Amino acid sequence: GDSVTQMEGPVTLSEEAFLTINCTYTATGYPSLFWYVQYPGEGLQLLLKATKADDKGSNKGFEATYRKETTSFHLEKGSVQVSDSAVYFCALSDLGGGADGLTFGKGTHLIIQP
Amino acid sequence: EAQVTQNPRYLITVTGKKLTVTCSQNMNHEYMSWYRQDPGLGLRQIYYSMNVEVTDKGDVPEGYKVSRKEKRNFPLILESPSPNQTSLYFCASNWGGFDNEQFFGPGTRLTVL
């Protein structure tokens, strides 16, 4: 079945540091890939997405590129802020994202220190 | 404002006492899902619904029931809660399709004693 593997945290960085959170996936088809973010006490919200190979999703300074050859979708940001502290989930949708929902990684807790 | 609402946000109950967590969306979405979030396990899908009166099991359906009598509502029912159902629960909805964003509710933290 489908699966998503992401680095588990917590990941602690200083403000303005460069961020990479690794994500790799296994899927039978050609999935769409997503990064969701969960701020403390809140539900998940979409951060960015990519629907086909070599697509780059970007939002709020975060980027991730859909790499089919390495089955990866690593999340990057050039200069993190304290407000980026949250849990980040990599996810995939192999059947349209509707009926079967999403397959999530276990989440990476990111802590940014001032 | 487009949103998914859940109630209650927090609930402490005892083993065996039936409970319902409500979920409602105002975006006219076809699809709705329930997930549970547990430390070290991430989010796992419990049940999903593709439309009114159409529901199906997700990855961890045991001990849960759902219904979809109206498009906007998708309640989660625990007929006889047990301590292993202590978790953080999220409802989500979306249109469907490959690049479709799921919209999540704020979560319900359930403790079963």
Side-chain angles (χ1 to χ4, degrees):
Chain A
D2 297 343
S3 66
V4 175
T5 303
Q6 63 181 106
M7 55 195 297
E8 296 187 38
V11 173
T12 304
L13 295 173
S14 298
E15 205 165 22
E16 299 184 3
F18 184 85
L19 168 71
T20 300
I21 301 178
N22 291 333
C23 171
T24 57
Y25 68 90
T26 302
T28 52
Y30 298 92
S32 294
L33 302 173
F34 306 83
W35 277 100
Y36 280 80
V37 58
Q38 184 181 29
Y39 297 105
E42 298 183 11
L44 280 73
Q45 55 187 273
L46 181 67
L47 180 60
L48 53 84
K49 66 184 180 185
T51 59
K52 61 183 186 296
D54 299 326
D55 268 2
K56 177 186 282 188
S58 60
N59 187 24
K60 299 181 181 179
F62 290 89
E63 293 183 338
T65 300
Y66 188 163
R67 301 286 187 199
K68 190 170 184 293
E69 64 276 14
T70 55
T71 61
S72 65
F73 193 54
H74 305 322
L75 182 68
E76 296 181 336
K77 186 175 185 183
S79 176
V80 293
Q81 306 300 313
V82 172
S83 58
D84 293 327
S85 298
V87 181
Y88 292 81
F89 291 93
C90 186
L92 71 80
S93 171
D94 203 14
L95 289 173
D100 282 40
L102 296 164
T103 298
F104 285 91
K106 294 183 179 180
T108 301
H109 186 193
L110 176 64
I111 301 169
I112 307 300
Q113 296 178 333
Chain B
E1 180 189 355
Q3 61 182 352
V4 178
T5 57
Q6 296 177 226
N7 282 291
R9 295 288 313 277
Y10 303 91
L11 179 60
I12 300 174
T13 189
V14 295
T15 299
K17 186 176 182 181
K18 180 179 179 180
L19 66 91
T20 299
V21 183
T22 65
C23 172
S24 182
Q25 51 94 5
N26 63 1
M27 295 166 280
N28 202 36
H29 284 163
E30 300 285 335
Y31 298 98
M32 298 185 74
S33 298
W34 275 103
Y35 295 87
R36 60 178 288 174
Q37 182 180 14
D38 300 290
L41 296 176
L43 277 84
R44 296 175 292 170
Q45 191 182 46
I46 303 170
Y47 268 95
Y48 61 91
S49 169
M50 292 175 280
N51 212 326
V52 174
E53 303 291 2
V54 181
T55 63
D56 208 346
K57 297 176 180 179
D59 297 320
V60 288
E62 293 77 21
Y64 304 95
K65 287 175 58 177
V66 292
S67 69
R68 189 92 181 273
K69 292 183 170 46
E70 305 167 282
K71 196 172 187 179
R72 62 183 292 127
N73 296 323
F74 190 45
L76 179 69
I77 303 156
L78 284 71
E79 295 269 2
S80 182
S82 62
N84 64 12
Q85 294 178 297
T86 293
S87 187
L88 181 58
Y89 292 87
F90 289 101
C91 181
S93 71
N94 69 315
W95 289 112
F98 270 107
D99 60 350
N100 217 286
E101 173 183 356
Q102 290 219 2
F103 291 80
F104 285 81
T108 295
R109 183 165 293 282
L110 172 65
T111 301
V112 183
L113 302 175

